[in-house]
Amino acid sequence: MKHTVLIVDDDQSIVELLRDFLRNDGFEVKTAYDTGQALVLFAESTIDCMIVDIMMPGPDGFELCRHIRQKSDVPILFLSARSDDVDKIRGLALGGDDYIVKTASPGEIVARVKAVLRRVSSQGRKSMVLHYGGLSLNVSTREVKIDGRQVSLTPKEYELLKLLAEHPKQVFTYEQLLEKFWAGVGDKHTVRVHLSRLREKIEAEPNEPQYIVNVWGIGYRFIGERDENDSDS
């Protein structure tokens, strides 16, 4: 089955170039020239991946990402003429899966689309619920519950929790987390802010955590004990 990619950019020449390259590689392609058009197409179609320009007239690509993330975890690759670290951090923190500068070749952009779709496909083949006392994490549905109560996490918060929970007691350094989730862009503060927000949502007492602890000056580790009745399906 062909994957469908939605390209959102106000530059028609870029849209047409990427459309042709993606189609030549076997993708179905839909195109939009602003956030409004993109939201209509997203609601009407099954979209497997989005390439989103940041600087557009009206609501920009960041605003579009915010709308999409309220209802979907579809992969979003930001496309921008700017290589500023600030834009990269902001885009990835909003739930973007990649950040591509427009100087990249169309072939490289197609390769990035394929890479993110492979990651999503690999995650989709897993079916497992992790239990750590009152905390449960369903890898298939991306649902997180505390004592049976569903907790709403951003895509980034979910991925951070999943990584730590799947590797209990392993210390992940600030540098490792930055490289994995922010493409190496940012600093310790970036990681601390996201982990702080995550712990506020899953810890009864964030200052006395039961699940995620800070390893002073190094990074974080998950300390919950996994229940023995967990199973893959």
Side-chain angles (χ1 to χ4, degrees):
M1 185 177 68
K2 290 184 177 181
H3 286 109
T4 300
V5 179
L6 173 59
I7 304 171
V8 189
D9 196 315
D10 62 316
D11 188 324
Q12 185 174 350
S13 62
I14 290 177
V15 170
E16 292 177 351
L17 180 63
L18 291 179
R19 180 195 62 197
D20 292 345
F21 267 80
L22 286 163
R23 284 179 175 171
N24 287 339
D25 231 298
F27 289 95
E28 295 284 350
V29 180
K30 295 186 179 295
T31 61
Y33 295 96
D34 58 41
T35 289
Q37 290 179 8
L39 289 173
V40 170
L41 280 172
F42 191 84
E44 296 176 345
S45 315
T46 299
I47 304 297
D48 299 300
C49 184
M50 297 177 65
I51 300 174
V52 177
D53 182 29
I54 291 177
M55 301 302 294
M56 293 185 290
D60 61 15
F62 292 141
E63 189 63 27
L64 174 58
C65 182
R66 287 193 189 94
H67 282 287
I68 296 297
R69 282 293 174 256
Q70 291 175 2
K71 50 195 166 188
S72 174
D73 289 328
V74 64
I76 296 175
L77 291 79
F78 281 114
L79 191 62
S80 177
R82 301 170 57 180
S83 59
D84 302 36
D85 285 355
V86 172
D87 274 0
K88 289 181 181 179
I89 294 170
R90 185 181 179 193
L92 296 172
L94 284 171
D97 296 271
D98 204 347
Y99 184 102
I100 307 170
V101 179
K102 285 188 176 181
T103 52
S105 68
E108 179 183 345
I109 295 172
V110 172
R112 299 274 197 102
V113 169
K114 289 180 176 179
V116 76
L117 287 171
R118 281 196 300 269
R119 290 199 299 270
V120 170
S121 176
S122 174
Q123 292 168 1
R125 288 194 294 268
K126 297 179 181 178
S127 178
M128 178 168 43
V129 180
L130 306 177
H131 294 279
Y132 296 92
L135 170 67
S136 67
L137 188 154
N138 189 313
V139 176
S140 299
T141 64
R142 299 174 69 91
E143 289 181 325
V144 175
K145 295 182 179 180
I146 296 291
D147 297 326
R149 173 181 57 85
Q150 188 162 331
V151 179
S152 178
L153 301 181
T154 67
K156 190 74 67 180
E157 290 166 351
Y158 170 82
E159 293 297 338
L160 282 165
L161 175 60
K162 178 173 176 288
L163 174 69
L164 294 168
E166 287 183 334
H167 302 86
K169 297 184 173 58
Q170 178 177 335
V171 176
F172 287 89
T173 67
Y174 291 108
E175 290 75 17
Q176 288 172 325
L177 295 173
L178 278 169
E179 182 62 33
K180 182 171 181 62
F181 296 107
W182 289 275
V185 178
D187 54 23
K188 291 181 179 179
H189 180 69
T190 304
V191 179
R192 287 171 179 155
V193 167
H194 281 78
L195 264 297
S196 176
R197 291 173 180 166
L198 173 59
R199 291 200 292 192
E200 286 177 358
K201 294 181 179 182
I202 67 169
E203 302 282 6
E205 296 290 342
N207 293 328
E208 298 180 10
Q210 302 178 52
Y211 303 112
I212 300 173
V213 297
N214 177 250
V215 181
W216 186 253
I218 299 176
Y220 293 87
R221 66 186 175 96
F222 191 89
I223 60 172
E225 292 290 339
R226 184 172 176 181
D227 292 359
E228 295 182 357
N229 62 348
D230 281 356
S231 60
D232 298 335
S233 58

